């Protein structure tokens, strides 16, 4: 992966660019399938905007694989729970009732996503729920030095169905109509 999320300057830039975006609508959907106060892992918390909302409803552990974002998360939320964690290997002894991410999993190559999905299944409790957003499209590209993998309803179904019962994959608008997909699924 490139350095975009790893330097102080680019992390500050991302925090400014993303300040008017949050996952409130997804969190409302998550609340319909994941009991309030369940334990929840957020992967790629970044600026921590969604972490703050999730923290009102769940026992959340925020995470990121960027130490710059980790420093930011811990300094802004000194009472919060955060762990440095890679989305692919997900090396943790902890188990969760749910896993959430907002625009993180698209940085994983196809084989990395498969590995992440297998690990997500492993670190979830029985009937665990996942909720992840993706950019919709075809193929992949490098943007700001970062790998970006685009997904379709079909590619997500293929990547997740071995380990998860897919409850919904819905299109939504981040910048342009239907430019994004939200997947909600339950551990098999
Ligand atoms: C587009 S930002 C999204 C941040 C936040 N979820 C939001 O909605 O604003 C992607 C985030 O995922 C993190 N990230 C990228 N690849 C990762 C990986 N392999 N493991 C863990 N975090 C990763 C980045 O450091 C960054 O915080």
């Amino acid at each position: 992966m490139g350095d975009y999320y790893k330097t102080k300057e680019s992390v500050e830039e991302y925090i400014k660019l993303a300040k008017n975006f949050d996952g409130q609508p997804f969190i409302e959907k998550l609340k319909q399938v994941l009991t309030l106060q369940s334990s929840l892992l957020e992967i790629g918390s970044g600026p921590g905007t969604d972490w703050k909302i999730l923290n009102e409803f769940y026992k959340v552990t925020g995470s990121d694989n960027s130490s710059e974002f980790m420093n930011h998360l811990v300094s802004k939320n000194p009472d919060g729970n955060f762990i440095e964690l890679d989305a692919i290997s997900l090396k943790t002894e902890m188990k969760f009732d749910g896993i959430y991410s907002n625009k993180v999993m698209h940085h994983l190559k196809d084989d990395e996503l498969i590995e992440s999905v297998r690990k997500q299944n492993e670190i979830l409790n029985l009937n665990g729920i996942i909720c992840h957003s993706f950019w919709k499209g075809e193929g992949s590209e490098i943007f700001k030095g970062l790998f970006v993998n685009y997904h379709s309803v079909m590619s997500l179904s293929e990547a997740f169905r071995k380990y998860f019962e897919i409850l919904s994959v819905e299109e939504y608008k981040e910048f342009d109509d239907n430019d994004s997909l939200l997947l909600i699924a339950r551990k098999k």
Side-chain angles (χ1 to χ4, degrees), residues 42-79:
E42 183 186 15
I43 299 175
S45 299
T49 315
D50 289 5
W51 179 88
K52 267 208 179 84
I53 305 172
L54 292 165
N55 196 42
E56 290 173 30
F57 305 105
Y58 295 108
K59 298 192 182 84
V60 197
T61 301
S63 72
D64 211 286
N65 74 341
S66 149
S67 43
E68 280 300 333
F69 272 124
M70 285 298 295
N71 291 342
H72 171 84
L73 288 163
V74 171
S75 73
K76 291 279 174 206
N77 310 285
D79 296 329

Side-chain angles (χ1 to χ4, degrees), residues 25-26 28-30 32 103 132-136 151-153 156 166-174 178-185:
F26 319 147
E28 287 309 312
K29 286 186 195 290
L30 178 65
Q32 291 169 18
K103 294 287 167 70
H132 300 301
S133 73
F134 297 84
W135 290 110
K136 184 177 160 232
H151 285 281
S152 61
V153 175
L156 290 180
I166 294 170
L167 301 178
S168 61
V169 185
E170 286 176 20
E171 293 178 342
Y172 72 93
K173 170 181 179 167
E174 179 132 1
N178 300 331
D179 62 0
S180 300
L181 290 169
L182 181 73
L183 168 109
I184 299 183

